[in-house]
Amino acid sequence: MRRTAMLVSALSLAALGATVGPAQAGPAPADSETRATTFSDQEQDTALEFWTDARLNAAKEMAVPAAVPEAPAGTPSVTSSVDDGGPRMAVPSVVFPDAQTTASAAGETPVSTLASKPKAWKRGGLISRTAGKVFFENAAGGLFACSATVANSKNKSVVLTAGHCVVDARTGEVFRKWIFIPGYHKGERPHGTFTAKKLFHLKSYVSSQGNANWDVAFATLRKRDGRPLAKIVGGAQGIKFNAPNGRYVHSFGYGGSRAEGDGERLNHCQGKEHRDLGRPGSTMWGIDCVQTGGSSGGAFLAEFKVDNGVGVLVGNIAVGTDVSEYHPRLGDRARKLYKAASRA
Protein backbone atom coordinates (compact mmCIF):
# COMPACT_ATOMS: atom_id res chain seq x y z
CA MET A 1 0.00 0.00 0.00
CA ARG A 2 1.38 3.39 -0.98
CA ARG A 3 1.64 5.87 1.82
CA THR A 4 1.81 9.61 2.09
CA ALA A 5 5.07 11.01 0.69
CA MET A 6 7.48 12.29 3.32
CA LEU A 7 9.13 15.57 2.40
CA VAL A 8 12.89 15.28 2.30
CA SER A 9 13.24 19.03 2.07
CA ALA A 10 11.58 20.70 5.02
CA LEU A 11 12.51 18.30 7.80
CA SER A 12 15.92 17.44 6.43
CA LEU A 13 16.87 21.07 6.36
CA ALA A 14 15.57 21.56 9.86
CA ALA A 15 18.58 19.51 10.91
CA LEU A 16 20.99 21.86 9.19
CA GLY A 17 21.26 24.20 12.15
CA ALA A 18 21.26 27.96 12.50
CA THR A 19 21.24 30.11 9.40
CA VAL A 20 23.69 32.99 9.54
CA GLY A 21 25.38 34.62 6.59
CA PRO A 22 25.06 32.27 3.58
CA ALA A 23 24.70 33.49 0.04
CA GLN A 24 21.42 35.24 -0.68
CA ALA A 25 19.28 34.44 -3.71
CA GLY A 26 18.38 37.24 -6.05
CA PRO A 27 15.70 37.47 -8.73
CA ALA A 28 16.64 36.65 -12.29
CA PRO A 29 15.22 38.93 -14.97
CA ALA A 30 13.75 36.07 -17.04
CA ASP A 31 10.56 35.59 -15.00
CA SER A 32 9.06 36.10 -11.55
CA GLU A 33 9.65 32.50 -10.45
CA THR A 34 13.36 32.11 -11.19
CA ARG A 35 15.79 32.83 -8.38
CA ALA A 36 19.51 32.87 -9.16
CA THR A 37 22.54 33.07 -6.88
CA THR A 38 25.95 33.91 -8.33
CA PHE A 39 29.31 32.93 -6.83
CA SER A 40 32.45 34.91 -7.66
CA ASP A 41 35.61 33.28 -8.97
CA GLN A 42 37.18 33.87 -5.57
CA GLU A 43 34.29 32.10 -3.82
CA GLN A 44 34.59 29.20 -6.24
CA ASP A 45 38.34 28.94 -5.69
CA THR A 46 37.70 28.86 -1.96
CA ALA A 47 35.18 26.04 -2.46
CA LEU A 48 37.72 23.99 -4.43
CA GLU A 49 40.33 24.37 -1.72
CA PHE A 50 37.79 23.68 1.02
CA TRP A 51 36.61 20.29 -0.18
CA THR A 52 39.49 18.07 0.84
CA ASP A 53 39.03 14.30 0.96
CA ALA A 54 38.63 14.55 4.72
CA ARG A 55 35.74 17.00 4.37
CA LEU A 56 34.09 14.85 1.72
CA ASN A 57 34.16 11.99 4.22
CA ALA A 58 32.76 14.21 6.94
CA ALA A 59 29.74 15.37 4.92
CA LYS A 60 26.38 13.93 5.99
CA GLU A 61 23.68 12.69 3.66
CA MET A 62 20.30 14.36 3.98
CA ALA A 63 18.16 12.23 6.32
CA VAL A 64 14.72 11.13 5.14
CA PRO A 65 12.20 12.39 7.75
CA ALA A 66 9.82 10.07 9.58
CA ALA A 67 6.59 11.99 8.98
CA VAL A 68 4.94 14.49 6.66
CA PRO A 69 5.25 18.05 8.03
CA GLU A 70 2.10 20.07 8.35
CA ALA A 71 1.80 22.98 5.94
CA PRO A 72 2.78 26.24 7.70
CA ALA A 73 -0.01 28.65 8.50
CA GLY A 74 -0.72 30.93 5.57
CA THR A 75 0.98 28.67 3.04
CA PRO A 76 -0.73 29.10 -0.35
CA SER A 77 -2.68 26.10 -1.59
CA VAL A 78 -1.15 24.30 -4.55
CA THR A 79 -3.92 21.77 -5.05
CA SER A 80 -4.61 22.92 -8.63
CA SER A 81 -1.08 23.95 -9.57
CA VAL A 82 -0.34 21.14 -12.02
CA ASP A 83 2.05 23.45 -13.87
CA ASP A 84 1.82 21.67 -17.22
CA GLY A 85 0.14 24.35 -19.27
CA GLY A 86 3.29 25.46 -21.06
CA PRO A 87 4.77 24.16 -24.27
CA ARG A 88 6.49 20.81 -24.36
CA MET A 89 10.22 21.04 -24.69
CA ALA A 90 12.63 18.19 -25.39
CA VAL A 91 16.42 18.50 -25.34
CA PRO A 92 18.13 15.36 -26.68
CA SER A 93 21.00 13.63 -24.96
CA VAL A 94 24.48 14.10 -26.35
CA VAL A 95 27.42 11.72 -26.42
CA PHE A 96 30.68 13.03 -27.78
CA PRO A 97 32.45 10.80 -30.33
CA ASP A 98 35.58 10.26 -28.30
CA ALA A 99 33.63 9.01 -25.26
CA GLN A 100 33.28 5.32 -24.42
CA THR A 101 29.72 4.77 -23.17
CA THR A 102 29.42 1.01 -22.86
CA ALA A 103 30.56 -1.16 -19.98
CA SER A 104 32.55 -4.34 -20.28
CA ALA A 105 30.67 -7.58 -19.75
CA ALA A 106 32.64 -8.37 -16.60
CA GLY A 107 30.74 -7.59 -13.45
CA GLU A 108 27.54 -6.56 -15.20
CA THR A 109 24.34 -6.79 -13.17
CA PRO A 110 21.21 -8.04 -14.97
CA VAL A 111 18.50 -5.38 -15.10
CA SER A 112 15.04 -6.57 -14.09
CA THR A 113 11.86 -5.37 -15.78
CA LEU A 114 10.19 -5.18 -12.36
CA ALA A 115 10.21 -2.47 -9.70
CA SER A 116 13.32 -2.92 -7.62
CA LYS A 117 15.25 -2.25 -4.48
CA PRO A 118 18.28 0.03 -4.92
CA LYS A 119 21.20 -1.86 -6.38
CA ALA A 120 24.72 -0.83 -7.26
CA TRP A 121 24.98 0.33 -10.86
CA LYS A 122 27.72 -1.75 -12.51
CA ARG A 123 26.97 -1.32 -16.20
CA GLY A 124 28.98 1.84 -16.74
CA GLY A 125 27.85 3.94 -19.68
CA LEU A 126 27.06 7.63 -19.81
CA ILE A 127 25.06 7.62 -16.57
CA SER A 128 28.15 6.53 -14.64
CA ARG A 129 29.84 9.76 -15.74
CA THR A 130 26.92 12.19 -15.75
CA ALA A 131 25.58 11.21 -12.32
CA GLY A 132 27.57 12.50 -9.40
CA LYS A 133 27.63 13.77 -5.84
CA VAL A 134 26.96 17.31 -4.67
CA PHE A 135 28.64 18.70 -1.57
CA PHE A 136 27.86 21.98 0.17
CA GLU A 137 28.14 23.85 3.44
CA ASN A 138 25.21 25.35 5.31
CA ALA A 139 25.17 28.61 7.26
CA ALA A 140 26.14 26.92 10.51
CA GLY A 141 29.14 25.20 8.91
CA GLY A 142 27.47 21.81 8.52
CA LEU A 143 28.63 19.70 5.57
CA PHE A 144 26.08 17.81 3.49
CA ALA A 145 25.81 15.66 0.37
CA CYS A 146 23.18 15.22 -2.36
CA SER A 147 23.08 13.86 -5.91
CA ALA A 148 22.84 15.55 -9.32
CA THR A 149 22.98 14.74 -13.04
CA VAL A 150 24.45 16.49 -16.08
CA ALA A 151 21.63 17.74 -18.34
CA ASN A 152 22.28 18.67 -21.95
CA SER A 153 22.15 22.45 -22.37
CA LYS A 154 23.30 25.28 -24.57
CA ASN A 155 26.33 25.97 -22.40
CA LYS A 156 27.03 22.24 -21.69
CA SER A 157 27.51 23.16 -18.02
CA VAL A 158 24.17 22.44 -16.28
CA VAL A 159 23.20 19.83 -13.68
CA LEU A 160 19.73 18.98 -12.37
CA THR A 161 19.30 18.50 -8.61
CA ALA A 162 16.72 19.05 -5.86
CA GLY A 163 15.68 22.45 -4.53
CA HIS A 164 16.50 21.36 -0.98
CA CYS A 165 20.09 20.67 -2.12
CA VAL A 166 20.43 24.35 -3.09
CA VAL A 167 18.36 26.49 -0.72
CA ASP A 168 16.90 26.44 2.80
CA ALA A 169 13.17 26.70 2.09
CA ARG A 170 12.51 28.10 5.57
CA THR A 171 14.64 31.18 5.05
CA GLY A 172 15.49 31.46 1.36
CA GLU A 173 19.20 31.33 2.20
CA VAL A 174 21.26 29.55 -0.45
CA PHE A 175 23.96 27.04 0.45
CA ARG A 176 27.61 27.84 -0.23
CA LYS A 177 30.85 26.10 -1.23
CA TRP A 178 28.69 24.11 -3.66
CA ILE A 179 30.55 21.55 -5.76
CA PHE A 180 29.70 18.66 -8.08
CA ILE A 181 31.86 15.54 -8.55
CA PRO A 182 30.71 13.59 -11.64
CA GLY A 183 31.30 9.85 -11.52
CA TYR A 184 32.07 9.92 -7.80
CA HIS A 185 32.97 6.46 -6.49
CA LYS A 186 34.44 5.63 -3.10
CA GLY A 187 36.11 9.01 -2.72
CA GLU A 188 37.53 9.07 -6.24
CA ARG A 189 37.05 12.10 -8.49
CA PRO A 190 37.58 10.56 -11.95
CA HIS A 191 36.56 13.69 -13.87
CA GLY A 192 37.61 16.30 -11.33
CA THR A 193 35.62 18.71 -9.18
CA PHE A 194 33.33 21.43 -10.54
CA THR A 195 32.21 24.53 -8.66
CA ALA A 196 28.82 26.20 -8.93
CA LYS A 197 29.00 29.43 -10.87
CA LYS A 198 25.26 29.99 -10.40
CA LEU A 199 22.48 28.17 -8.54
CA PHE A 200 18.84 28.38 -9.64
CA HIS A 201 15.72 27.55 -7.61
CA LEU A 202 12.03 28.42 -7.74
CA LYS A 203 10.45 31.23 -5.76
CA SER A 204 7.45 28.94 -5.11
CA TYR A 205 9.66 26.41 -3.34
CA VAL A 206 10.64 28.99 -0.73
CA SER A 207 7.32 30.87 -0.53
CA SER A 208 5.54 27.54 0.13
CA GLN A 209 8.10 26.68 2.84
CA GLY A 210 9.37 23.68 0.91
CA ASN A 211 6.42 22.26 -1.02
CA ALA A 212 7.91 19.31 -2.88
CA ASN A 213 5.98 20.07 -6.06
CA TRP A 214 8.59 22.79 -6.62
CA ASP A 215 11.60 20.90 -5.22
CA VAL A 216 13.71 21.24 -8.35
CA ALA A 217 16.91 23.20 -8.97
CA PHE A 218 19.67 23.63 -11.53
CA ALA A 219 23.32 24.60 -11.20
CA THR A 220 25.55 26.14 -13.84
CA LEU A 221 29.11 25.00 -13.26
CA ARG A 222 32.36 26.76 -14.02
CA LYS A 223 34.44 25.51 -16.92
CA ARG A 224 37.70 23.75 -16.22
CA ASP A 225 40.70 24.61 -18.39
CA GLY A 226 38.29 26.29 -20.79
CA ARG A 227 36.18 23.16 -21.26
CA PRO A 228 32.56 22.76 -20.08
CA LEU A 229 31.40 19.92 -17.88
CA ALA A 230 29.67 17.86 -20.60
CA LYS A 231 32.77 17.92 -22.80
CA ILE A 232 34.90 16.62 -19.93
CA VAL A 233 32.59 13.75 -18.92
CA GLY A 234 31.83 12.83 -22.53
CA GLY A 235 28.19 13.84 -22.85
CA ALA A 236 24.96 14.81 -21.10
CA GLN A 237 21.54 13.29 -20.52
CA GLY A 238 18.55 14.63 -22.42
CA ILE A 239 15.78 16.46 -20.58
CA LYS A 240 12.03 16.97 -21.19
CA PHE A 241 9.54 19.50 -19.85
CA ASN A 242 5.74 19.29 -19.75
CA ALA A 243 6.03 15.70 -20.92
CA PRO A 244 3.48 12.94 -20.22
CA ASN A 245 4.02 10.94 -17.05
CA GLY A 246 3.17 7.36 -16.12
CA ARG A 247 6.11 5.92 -18.04
CA TYR A 248 8.72 3.30 -17.21
CA VAL A 249 11.67 5.10 -15.63
CA HIS A 250 15.03 4.52 -13.99
CA SER A 251 16.34 6.47 -11.00
CA PHE A 252 19.91 6.97 -9.84
CA GLY A 253 21.41 8.38 -6.66
CA TYR A 254 23.98 8.12 -3.90
CA GLY A 255 21.89 6.83 -1.00
CA GLY A 256 23.64 6.77 2.35
CA SER A 257 22.40 3.53 3.90
CA ARG A 258 24.74 0.62 4.44
CA ALA A 259 22.81 -1.44 1.87
CA GLU A 260 23.43 1.34 -0.68
CA GLY A 261 27.15 1.52 0.01
CA ASP A 262 27.13 4.35 2.56
CA GLY A 263 26.86 7.01 -0.13
CA GLU A 264 30.06 5.87 -1.82
CA ARG A 265 28.60 4.35 -4.97
CA LEU A 266 25.91 5.05 -7.56
CA ASN A 267 22.69 3.09 -7.05
CA HIS A 268 19.85 2.28 -9.43
CA CYS A 269 16.09 1.74 -9.20
CA GLN A 270 13.46 1.22 -11.89
CA GLY A 271 9.71 0.88 -12.31
CA LYS A 272 6.58 2.32 -13.87
CA GLU A 273 5.61 5.75 -12.59
CA HIS A 274 2.49 6.23 -10.50
CA ARG A 275 0.93 9.37 -9.07
CA ASP A 276 1.58 10.48 -5.51
CA LEU A 277 -1.95 9.99 -4.22
CA GLY A 278 -1.09 10.15 -0.54
CA ARG A 279 -0.21 13.83 -0.21
CA PRO A 280 -2.99 16.38 -0.72
CA GLY A 281 -2.19 18.72 -3.60
CA SER A 282 0.75 16.66 -4.84
CA THR A 283 1.60 16.76 -8.54
CA MET A 284 4.54 14.38 -8.14
CA TRP A 285 5.11 10.99 -9.74
CA GLY A 286 7.17 8.10 -8.40
CA ILE A 287 8.09 4.44 -8.44
CA ASP A 288 7.98 1.62 -5.90
CA CYS A 289 11.62 1.75 -4.88
CA VAL A 290 13.29 3.82 -2.17
CA GLN A 291 16.76 5.35 -2.12
CA THR A 292 17.73 6.96 1.16
CA GLY A 293 19.34 10.22 2.30
CA GLY A 294 22.04 11.45 -0.07
CA SER A 295 20.07 10.36 -3.15
CA SER A 296 18.15 13.67 -3.08
CA GLY A 297 18.47 15.40 -6.44
CA GLY A 298 19.33 12.18 -8.27
CA ALA A 299 17.94 11.46 -11.73
CA PHE A 300 14.64 10.05 -12.90
CA LEU A 301 15.26 9.02 -16.52
CA ALA A 302 12.77 7.88 -19.16
CA GLU A 303 13.74 6.25 -22.48
CA PHE A 304 16.77 4.86 -20.68
CA LYS A 305 19.04 2.43 -22.51
CA VAL A 306 20.85 0.13 -20.12
CA ASP A 307 23.49 -0.83 -22.69
CA ASN A 308 24.92 2.69 -22.94
CA GLY A 309 23.48 4.52 -19.94
CA VAL A 310 21.71 7.19 -21.99
CA GLY A 311 18.24 8.55 -21.26
CA VAL A 312 16.04 11.61 -20.84
CA LEU A 313 15.62 13.41 -17.51
CA VAL A 314 12.00 13.78 -16.39
CA GLY A 315 12.60 14.68 -12.75
CA ASN A 316 14.82 14.51 -9.67
CA ILE A 317 14.49 12.52 -6.46
CA ALA A 318 12.74 14.73 -3.89
CA VAL A 319 10.57 12.78 -1.45
CA GLY A 320 10.07 9.23 -0.25
CA THR A 321 7.93 6.86 1.77
CA ASP A 322 8.77 3.43 3.12
CA VAL A 323 7.90 1.94 -0.29
CA SER A 324 8.16 4.68 -2.95
CA GLU A 325 10.26 7.62 -4.10
CA TYR A 326 8.87 10.63 -5.99
CA HIS A 327 9.95 13.44 -8.27
CA PRO A 328 8.41 16.84 -9.10
CA ARG A 329 7.09 17.22 -12.63
CA LEU A 330 9.38 19.25 -14.85
CA GLY A 331 6.69 21.73 -15.81
CA ASP A 332 6.76 25.22 -17.20
CA ARG A 333 8.39 26.83 -14.16
CA ALA A 334 11.18 24.26 -14.26
CA ARG A 335 11.54 24.85 -18.01
CA LYS A 336 12.14 28.57 -17.45
CA LEU A 337 14.54 27.78 -14.62
CA TYR A 338 16.51 25.44 -16.91
CA LYS A 339 16.64 28.02 -19.71
CA ALA A 340 18.09 30.58 -17.31
CA ALA A 341 20.76 28.09 -16.22
CA SER A 342 21.53 27.24 -19.85
CA ARG A 343 22.18 30.90 -20.65
CA ALA A 344 24.38 31.56 -17.61
Side-chain angles (χ1 to χ4, degrees), residues 245-297:
N245 291 106
R247 308 171 69 183
Y248 199 87
V249 296
H250 297 249
S251 67
F252 293 87
Y254 287 85
S257 72
R258 179 160 302 218
E260 295 166 281
D262 300 310
E264 292 298 303
R265 72 178 189 221
L266 181 65
N267 293 288
H268 167 245
C269 285
Q270 59 186 322
K272 186 175 181 181
E273 288 181 307
H274 55 75
R275 290 180 182 274
D276 172 20
L277 298 176
R279 191 173 65 89
S282 176
T283 58
M284 295 184 296
W285 290 74
I287 58 174
D288 289 338
C289 187
V290 181
Q291 299 184 64
T292 62
S295 67
S296 295

Side-chain angles (χ1 to χ4, degrees), residues 43-52 179 193-195 222:
E43 288 173 311
Q44 293 177 69
D45 290 342
T46 298
L48 274 180
E49 294 175 4
F50 179 83
W51 285 105
T52 61
I179 64 165
T193 303
F194 293 80
T195 56
R222 182 169 67 176

Side-chain angles (χ1 to χ4, degrees), residues 159-272:
V159 295
L160 168 67
T161 189
H164 68 266
C165 298
V166 164
V167 62
D168 186 337
R170 300 167 302 159
T171 65
E173 292 169 308
V174 176
F175 302 126
R176 58 195 178 188
K177 296 186 177 75
W178 206 98
I179 64 165
F180 174 66
I181 302 178
Y184 179 94
H185 184 73
K186 296 183 178 179
E188 296 179 359
R189 312 185 195 200
H191 309 288
T193 303
F194 293 80
T195 56
K197 174 183 171 183
K198 283 192 174 184
L199 296 175
F200 297 85
H201 69 273
L202 291 173
K203 175 184 175 182
S204 291
Y205 180 63
V206 175
S207 64
S208 67
Q209 295 286 282
N211 187 291
N213 290 342
W214 317 121
D215 191 6
V216 58
F218 293 95
T220 303
L221 306 180
R222 182 169 67 176
K223 292 180 179 180
R224 207 176 72 230
D225 299 325
R227 301 176 68 205
L229 170 64
K231 284 284 189 178
I232 291 175
V233 301
Q237 302 294 337
I239 188 166
K240 286 188 175 182
F241 299 90
N242 294 306
N245 291 106
R247 308 171 69 183
Y248 199 87
V249 296
H250 297 249
S251 67
F252 293 87
Y254 287 85
S257 72
R258 179 160 302 218
E260 295 166 281
D262 300 310
E264 292 298 303
R265 72 178 189 221
L266 181 65
N267 293 288
H268 167 245
C269 285
Q270 59 186 322
K272 186 175 181 181

